[in-house]
Amino acid sequence: MNDKTMKRKLIAILSADVKGYSRLMSLDEEGTIGRLGDYKQFMADLIRQKGGRVVDDPGDNLLAEFLSVVDAVQCAVEIQKKFKVRNAGLPEDRRMIFRIGVNLGDVVEKGERIFGEGVNIVARLEKLAEPGGVCLSGTAYDQVKDRLPLEFKSLGLQKIKNMTEPVRVYQALMEPSDLKKKKGPTIEIKNKKAFVLGILAVFLAAGIAVAVWRTTNRSIPPQIEAASKEKMAYPLPDKPSIAVLPFVNLSGDPQQEFFSEGITEDIITALSKIRELFVIARGSTFTYKGKAVKVRQVSEELGVRFVLGGSVQRSGDRVRISAQLSDALRGHHLWSERYDRDLKDLFALQDEVTLKILKSLQVKLTEGEQGSIFKEKFFKGKQGLECYLKMWEGVHFLLLMSVEGNNKSRRIAEEMVNKWPENPWGYDLLAWTHYMDLLYGSSKSPRESLRKAMELVQKTLALDDSNSNAHGLLSQIYCFLREFNKGIAEGERGVALDPNGEWVNFFYANALRYAGRPWDAIPVYQKAIRLNPLGSCFSSQSMGDAYWATGQMEEAESANKQALRQCPDNLFAHVGQVGIYMETGREKEARAEAAEVLRINPKFSVDNYARGILAHHKEKGPQSAVVKNMGFLRKAGLK
């Protein structure tokens, strides 16, 4: 190649197109173009989350590249599963069904475009895929066959246009098949004597290993009652899954609760930033605080395989932390450790625990992830430790979700900003308190509260752009300002920084819904709920609004009722139920819900409520769910 702007590289390539696109265009050209744009946007968002890049998207086709074949195949399968759910809500003749091909091949890169044999092959694979399915080349299959919990079916050698040699092709099975139930192939043993000797050697080595393990690990706790996969409330994720229980405060001082909660939260936060893990949010694990629960119970109720528990004891400038990691499915402890350190070594200790967990789960950090788990640079020395403890005290009061708690948190945040002006966490906490004033309706000047929240969150990000929750907050502020594209972009940034963060996923889903994309918001809400199944009711309630906006009334009612089971006094869920009941012709039930609204807030005003809600939403037409609900609220007796 003489052109210096061109270069060759080996990458994973994903290609997707719509089956029967011409037919869809002939039936409803405008609607098809609109739906295609929404579907492509969803794919582009997911591709970015999986570490890929959209290279081109002409017509009904989309071409993307990934550094990892595993990421490419996971992305392709997830796209098809999400689209299956989405298409189920559409008339059969309006469903937009994609075919996807994935190849690992050599390409020529020029500028932002890629060309060559690798692209030609993936285009052919896409055509061979079943509607709603995924086809892989043999080179891609070889990379993922033992790394993903998927089954594959060989389609044999396929002739590819302009290729002299046929290509091995495999189909990824979207649903479990009977393949794994069939008897495996017979293994021919040519040297039986060597085989028997080898087996004996293996057993001898295993016996020695067990003897050594028993001698050197007498401190490891005994076996535990194994969890049952069949009894789990949620399917196990397709990656290592873990719940971190709140560390028990053994200090005898209630004031140290902030300290033990902070350590637990830091470990959860560090783990949640790792893309290859599934981590339950604190909102669910902290429901077990102060309770004697078994590993099996936690595993089955949260749908996770691994459970970490521990305790914290602080005495002066010393701290003792005990931690224990359990494999609930196998019914045993992976390890148990006790650490006695100076407080100045606290952050190094947290990192040590986190890295040991990752090693036990056989999860390797990328270069970017290695830098994301360390917080020590913001809390150095004795002053830094004081700031750290003060921060977690403020977070504790913020999470009480009350006006009084919010005011206490603001006073602590203001103290942090005054004493440690170079630390971003004070500005972050203070920004949240002003934003919560807006939600609680406790602000004397909503405009001023919004301005302060914006100013403070921008200050936070100027000092530390890796703060995922600050990006999440900024996404909500942009939606308040009706800058929806910026809101979505900030939501995406938050999720990219913290893939397992319940709140950042919730904020991203909100931004999509506010921008008039409820279909795209629903799967993100579902993810937030799965990350925090026992905790926050906000995601369930908001998902109910998204379902209603898409006309899925049964699902909307179910989501709202789930929110009310978790939070019986959730005003927004009761307001949503009024509209759902009126929409489905159940005025008696709607009036009962209206009475609940007034029980919770006797001064409830439809106009005030409408002003706050409509400020977020792009869609304000008479057919939008938000506007329709204003009329329903009045018909149900609210003023």
Side-chain angles (χ1 to χ4, degrees):
M1 291 184 297
N2 295 324
D3 191 339
K4 294 182 179 180
T5 64
M6 292 187 181
K7 64 178 181 179
R8 285 193 174 276
K9 61 181 181 179
L10 183 68
I11 57 169
I13 318 157
L14 179 153
S15 181
D17 80 341
V18 180
K19 175 67 174 177
Y21 181 66
S22 298
R23 178 187 59 80
L24 291 171
M25 287 289 284
S26 66
L27 291 172
D28 179 12
E29 183 175 283
E30 185 175 342
T32 298
I33 292 173
R35 281 194 298 278
L36 178 63
D38 289 341
Y39 278 60
K40 281 190 174 184
Q41 185 61 55
F42 175 84
M43 286 193 287
D45 293 343
L46 188 58
I47 287 165
R48 280 194 294 272
Q49 291 176 28
K50 295 292 185 181
R53 177 181 75 90
V54 175
V55 177
D56 201 4
D57 63 343
D60 65 320
N61 178 259
L62 182 142
L63 185 69
E65 66 174 20
F66 294 80
L67 295 177
S68 161
V69 184
V70 171
D71 287 344
V73 175
Q74 283 183 321
C75 185
V77 171
E78 189 169 342
I79 285 171
Q80 295 293 38
K81 288 183 176 180
K82 299 297 186 186
F83 284 175
K84 182 179 179 181
V85 174
R86 177 178 292 195
N87 281 319
L90 295 174
E92 190 168 348
D93 62 349
R94 294 294 190 272
R95 293 175 181 175
M96 190 164 285
I97 302 174
F98 283 78
R99 302 173 296 186
I100 300 179
V102 177
N103 178 38
L104 172 65
D106 185 71
V107 299
V108 176
E109 181 181 55
K110 183 176 181 181
E112 297 295 317
R113 305 288 296 279
I114 57 175
F115 308 89
E117 185 179 280
V119 178
N120 295 337
I121 291 175
V122 80
R124 177 59 178 159
L125 292 172
E126 163 205 295
K127 303 301 181 187
L128 292 173
E130 295 180 353
V134 178
C135 269
L136 285 70
S137 66
T139 54
Y141 168 77
D142 292 340
Q143 295 296 314
V144 302
K145 60 183 178 181
D146 298 321
R147 299 183 183 181
L148 291 176
L150 293 171
E151 296 177 49
F152 300 91
K153 176 182 177 182
S154 174
L155 300 183
L157 293 173
Q158 298 287 333
K159 180 67 176 175
I160 302 294
K161 186 177 180 180
N162 298 325
M163 292 281 295
T164 56
E165 297 292 332
V167 174
R168 287 182 296 131
V169 178
Y170 294 83
Q171 176 188 353
L173 303 182
M174 295 292 106
E175 301 294 339
S177 72
D178 295 328
L179 291 177
K180 291 187 177 179
K181 299 178 184 178
K182 295 179 181 178
K183 186 176 180 180
T186 302
I187 301 174
E188 181 181 357
I189 304 173
K190 294 182 178 180
N191 190 333
K192 294 185 178 179
K193 182 178 179 180
F195 176 75
V196 171
L197 290 175
I199 291 294
L200 289 173
V202 170
F203 278 110
L204 178 61
I208 293 172
V210 170
V212 171
W213 183 90
R214 287 178 174 171
T215 302
T216 59
N217 291 275
R218 296 186 183 277
S219 63
I220 298 295
Q223 298 286 307
I224 56 176
E225 189 177 3
S228 167
K229 189 182 272 190
E230 290 71 28
K231 292 182 180 179
M232 289 193 176
Y234 305 89
L236 274 179
D238 59 358
K239 57 180 69 174
S241 51
I242 186 170
V244 180
L245 296 176
F247 278 44
V248 179
N249 172 28
L250 299 181
S251 302
D253 179 3
Q255 287 297 315
Q256 297 302 322
E257 287 295 330
F258 306 135
F259 183 64
S260 60
E261 286 181 6
I263 289 175
T264 309
E265 177 74 15
D266 271 349
I267 293 174
I268 293 173
T269 300
L271 293 173
S272 73
K273 295 179 183 295
I274 311 304
R275 182 184 298 176
E276 295 305 316
L277 285 181
F278 178 89
V279 185
I280 293 292
R282 80 180 301 280
S284 285
T285 58
F286 271 64
T287 61
Y288 298 109
K289 186 176 175 65
K291 301 176 183 177
V293 292
K294 294 182 178 180
V295 168
R296 175 182 177 178
Q297 176 188 345
V298 175
S299 171
E300 291 178 351
E301 289 182 351
L302 299 179
V304 294
R305 177 171 177 174
F306 302 99
V307 177
L308 181 77
S311 62
V312 179
Q313 186 171 7
R314 180 186 174 189
S315 178
D317 292 332
R318 298 286 295 178
V319 61
R320 170 178 291 177
I321 294 180
S322 297
Q324 182 172 276
L325 182 65
S326 304
D327 184 335
L329 276 187
R330 293 186 177 179
H332 68 82
H333 301 297
L334 294 176
W335 55 262
S336 181
E337 295 282 354
R338 189 179 74 181
Y339 307 86
D340 290 291
R341 302 285 176 81
D342 288 331
L343 270 177
K344 65 182 181 181
D345 299 324
L346 176 64
F347 305 110
L349 174 55
Q350 290 175 343
D351 293 335
E352 187 175 335
V353 173
T354 301
L355 291 170
K356 184 155 188 177
I357 294 169
L358 296 174
K359 183 177 179 180
S360 299
L361 303 187
Q362 298 183 338
V363 173
K364 293 183 179 180
L365 293 176
T366 65
E367 184 176 347
E369 288 170 338
Q370 288 170 358
S372 70
I373 71 171
F374 302 109
K375 191 185 285 185
E376 187 176 5
K377 65 180 180 179
F378 296 123
F379 300 103
K380 290 182 178 179
K382 189 173 182 179
Q383 287 287 315
L385 182 62
E386 183 184 350
C387 179
Y388 173 81
L389 297 175
K390 186 64 68 174
M391 176 193 72
W392 281 116
E393 184 180 359
V395 170
H396 171 83
F397 287 118
L398 184 74
L399 292 178
L400 293 179
M401 295 295 181
S402 67
V403 174
E404 182 181 359
N406 196 55
N407 290 335
K408 288 182 179 180
S409 183
R410 177 163 39 249
R411 287 193 290 272
I412 292 169
E414 288 171 343
E415 181 183 349
M416 288 178 65
V417 168
N418 290 330
K419 292 183 71 172
W420 303 286
E422 299 305 316
N423 192 302
W425 293 91
Y427 300 103
D428 180 55
L429 183 60
L430 191 55
W432 277 103
T433 64
H434 286 294
Y435 178 71
M436 296 307 293
D437 274 341
L438 290 173
L439 300 189
Y440 294 139
S442 56
S443 173
K444 295 180 180 179
S445 172
R447 185 187 298 273
E448 182 64 11
S449 293
L450 189 63
R451 186 193 66 77
K452 287 181 178 178
M454 170 65 91
E455 178 184 306
L456 289 162
V457 76
Q458 288 178 330
K459 177 71 172 177
T460 301
L461 293 172
L463 293 169
D464 177 21
D465 190 57
S466 67
N467 187 319
S468 59
N469 279 320
H471 284 287
L473 173 56
L474 187 55
S475 77
Q476 306 303 279
I477 294 173
Y478 274 131
C479 289
F480 255 110
L481 298 172
R482 305 192 60 76
E483 298 184 53
F484 298 107
N485 289 337
K486 289 183 178 180
I488 291 172
E490 288 297 329
E492 289 175 344
R493 173 68 172 152
V495 172
L497 288 167
D498 189 5
N500 291 287
E502 177 225 352
W503 284 111
V504 292
N505 278 280
F506 171 70
F507 293 139
Y508 178 39
N510 280 350
L512 292 168
R513 179 167 62 91
Y514 297 151
R517 293 168 54 186
W519 279 110
D520 295 326
I522 289 170
V524 187
Y525 282 129
Q526 290 171 336
K527 180 182 177 183
I529 292 168
R530 179 64 183 93
L531 289 166
N532 189 11
L534 304 182
S536 169
C537 56
F538 295 109
S539 292
S540 296
Q541 177 266 314
S542 297
M543 185 168 69
D545 289 344
Y547 274 128
W548 186 16
T550 58
Q552 301 178 82
M553 304 310 295
E554 289 185 13
E555 291 84 354
E557 183 174 345
S558 176
N560 261 304
K561 287 183 176 179
Q562 172 64 21
L564 290 171
R565 281 192 291 271
Q566 293 177 315
C567 307
D569 290 340
N570 185 317
L571 179 71
F572 301 102
H574 284 293
V575 169
Q577 281 297 89
V578 173
I580 291 168
Y581 284 142
M582 291 294 287
E583 181 84 67
T584 53
R586 291 177 284 173
E587 187 171 337
K588 183 178 180 180
E589 290 95 328
R591 290 186 175 276
E593 287 295 331
E596 286 294 293
V597 171
L598 293 176
R599 175 185 65 80
I600 297 166
N601 181 7
K603 297 181 179 180
F604 179 84
S605 161
V606 175
D607 289 336
N608 289 341
Y609 179 80
R611 276 193 292 271
I613 295 297
L614 286 174
H616 285 82
H617 287 76
K618 183 178 182 179
E619 299 295 335
K620 293 188 177 183
Q623 293 305 310
S624 74
V626 177
V627 175
K628 286 169 68 176
N629 198 27
M630 299 306 109
F632 288 146
L633 292 173
R634 290 189 173 92
K635 288 181 180 179
L638 295 170
K639 298 179 180 179

